[in-house]
Amino acid sequence: MDLSDRKTRAVPTGRSDAGDAAALAEVARRYATAITPAMAELIDPADPDDPIARQFLPDVRELNEAPGERSDPIGDVAHSPLPGLIHRYADRVLLTLHHACPVYCRFCFRRTRVGPGGAALDAAGLEAALAYIDGHPEIWEVILSGGDPLLISPRRLDRVLGRLDAIGHVGVVRLHSRVPVADPSRVTPDLAATLRRADTAVWMSVHTNHPRELTEDAAAAIARLVDAGVPVVSQTVLLRGVNDDPAILEALFRRLVRLRVKPYYLHHPDAAPGTAHFRLSLAEGQAIAGALRGRVSGLCQPTYVLDIPGGHGKVPVGPCHARPDPNGWTIADPKGDLHSYPDDAGPSECD
Ligand SMILES: *Cc1c(COP(=O)(O)O)cnc(C)c1O
Ligand code: SF4
């Protein structure tokens, strides 16, 4: 894989939170750092709170490790039967071909494992992973995830997809990628055509957190995917100082739906080491998700989810609109006004 064109940008001088050079060097020693030209161009050096800079440029606050933070916040390691595989839910498995990303997000939940130096899965490792998938007929969906699957060459991706296509019980392959946004020129028509398979539905999930990331070039890359017949969804991490504002999320999700992308998940930030400055409380997240409910259509609503620390899985944690009461339920409408809903089948738990 040739990542030589992806230089790490120096932190622009004059940022109030940039800290001193030695501390930043320590951040870069602990965690991989890279930004693509497409993302670097979006940064306003005059804005100390620039939401793009905040996502990709190292920050001395990353040296602070808060109680409760862990190097494996969502318990991937406990569910890894083989190198490159995480099998936490029976019907789907995560396949990681390598550890490189086009950018290194400062809040990444896999930040202690991603980076340009990590060993990629070799030919024998890939065969073992494919044999595991082949030997587990309950696996219906294979998710290629960070390291970014769109950083491998289209030819190699074509071979991997062809192998998965040949496994009868695999119906869906999902690619989680930052590339359509962070390095859109990599999404060539050839690559998009590679993602259209005979027997397997290949879905793309793009990671994007701020409407400014969805430039004309990113929009064109997404259009190449959708026009090639690839369904596209999005994943967004709710981040303090980046998008913790219903107006910003509204702009992001409206733009995505206009680009024919269905917002899929809004992730509560995971407790990865050195990321406390990005985290907000669940109550704050619920207030933001609740505010969105009244502002935008259902198409623009992702599910707000938390990955339970320790590997217990992802669950919706959005605002609860229904509460049991002695007569059935009390239901909150989008404005927050309460309504009684008698339910003859009897009260049950709120979802
Ligand atoms: C997030 C995740 C998935 C996918 O979960 P969905 O809810 O289907 O998007 C699968 N496996 C692992 C290990 C995950 O962390
Ligand atoms: S692209 Fe995904 S895996 Fe890579 S650094 Fe960002 S969040 Fe982590």
Side-chain angles (χ1 to χ4, degrees):
M1 189 189 330
D2 178 17
L3 301 174
S4 54
D5 57 330
R6 251 142 285 281
K7 296 264 189 300
T8 299
R9 282 279 183 121
V11 179
T13 51
R15 291 172 55 79
S16 60
D17 60 351
D20 67 88
L24 283 173
E26 174 58 16
V27 172
R29 195 189 63 75
R30 285 193 202 176
Y31 304 113
T33 298
I35 185 166
T36 53
M39 291 293 98
E41 272 167 21
L42 294 178
I43 295 173
D44 174 1
D47 178 2
D49 299 320
D50 185 278
I52 311 297
R54 211 163 265 251
Q55 291 183 71
F56 305 121
L57 300 184
D59 184 309
V60 293
R61 288 174 289 182
E62 294 172 47
L63 298 178
N64 306 331
E65 292 198 6
E69 290 182 342
R70 9 181 152 182
S71 66
D72 181 18
I74 66 169
D76 284 345
V77 175
H79 293 96
S80 178
L82 284 177
L85 285 182
I86 303 165
H87 195 185
R88 194 205 286 164
Y89 307 105
D91 77 324
R92 51 214 193 273
V93 71
L94 229 71
L95 173 59
T96 301
L97 299 172
H98 61 86
H99 301 283
C101 292
V103 285
Y104 291 103
C105 312
R106 308 321 297 169
F107 49 85
C108 173
F109 65 109
R110 284 197 203 112
R111 62 188 328 223
T112 60
R113 278 160 290 155
V114 293
L121 208 57
D122 62 13
L126 179 60
E127 287 308 317
L130 291 169
Y132 178 93
I133 295 167
D134 195 29
H136 286 78
E138 71 275 23
I139 296 175
W140 175 76
E141 180 173 2
V142 177
I143 302 168
L144 303 183
S145 187
D148 200 303
L150 292 191
L151 286 191
I152 67 172
S153 73
R155 261 185 41 231
R156 180 153 181 245
L157 189 60
D158 184 52
R159 282 203 302 274
V160 172
L161 293 175
R163 294 290 301 277
L164 293 170
D165 212 11
I167 300 175
H169 54 265
V170 173
V172 175
V173 174
R174 193 196 320 171
L175 287 86
H176 284 180
S177 180
R178 261 290 204 185
V179 163
V181 166
D183 198 0
S185 63
R186 272 187 184 267
V187 183
T188 59
D190 273 0
L191 176 72
T194 297
L195 301 180
R196 184 75 190 266
R197 312 305 298 193
D199 292 323
T200 313
V202 179
W203 286 60
M204 173 69 63
S205 177
V206 294
H207 173 182
T208 180
N209 300 327
H210 195 279
R212 267 173 47 205
E213 296 168 22
L214 296 169
T215 60
E216 286 309 307
D217 287 347
I222 290 168
R224 287 192 286 278
L225 292 167
V226 178
D227 289 344
V230 179
V232 183
V233 300
S234 67
Q235 302 201 66
T236 294
V237 186
L238 182 59
L239 297 164
R240 185 180 296 294
V242 174
N243 59 15
D244 57 338
D245 173 346
I248 290 172
L249 292 177
E250 173 180 343
L252 174 64
F253 299 140
R254 282 193 198 277
R255 173 94 168 125
L256 283 166
V257 171
R258 284 286 281 130
L259 298 176
R260 296 176 287 168
V261 177
K262 171 72 185 91
Y264 174 51
Y265 277 161
L266 175 64
H267 294 271
H268 191 73
D270 296 311
T275 63
H277 54 292
F278 284 116
R279 283 201 299 281
L280 59 179
S281 68
L282 262 182
E284 288 172 288
Q286 288 184 330
I288 291 167
L292 262 182
R293 185 80 234 169
R295 291 169 78 121
V296 290
S297 86
L299 273 181
C300 302
Q301 308 280 345
T303 304
Y304 177 38
V305 292
L306 171 73
D307 220 312
I308 304 167
H312 306 289
K314 287 184 192 69
V315 287
V317 289
C320 186
H321 289 272
R323 291 189 195 288
D325 68 31
N327 304 316
W329 294 86
T330 302
I331 312 281
D333 69 23
K335 288 189 231 124
D337 295 335
L338 301 179
H339 307 271
S340 162
Y341 179 74
D343 188 346
D344 294 340
S348 65
E349 288 307 307
C350 175
D351 69 353

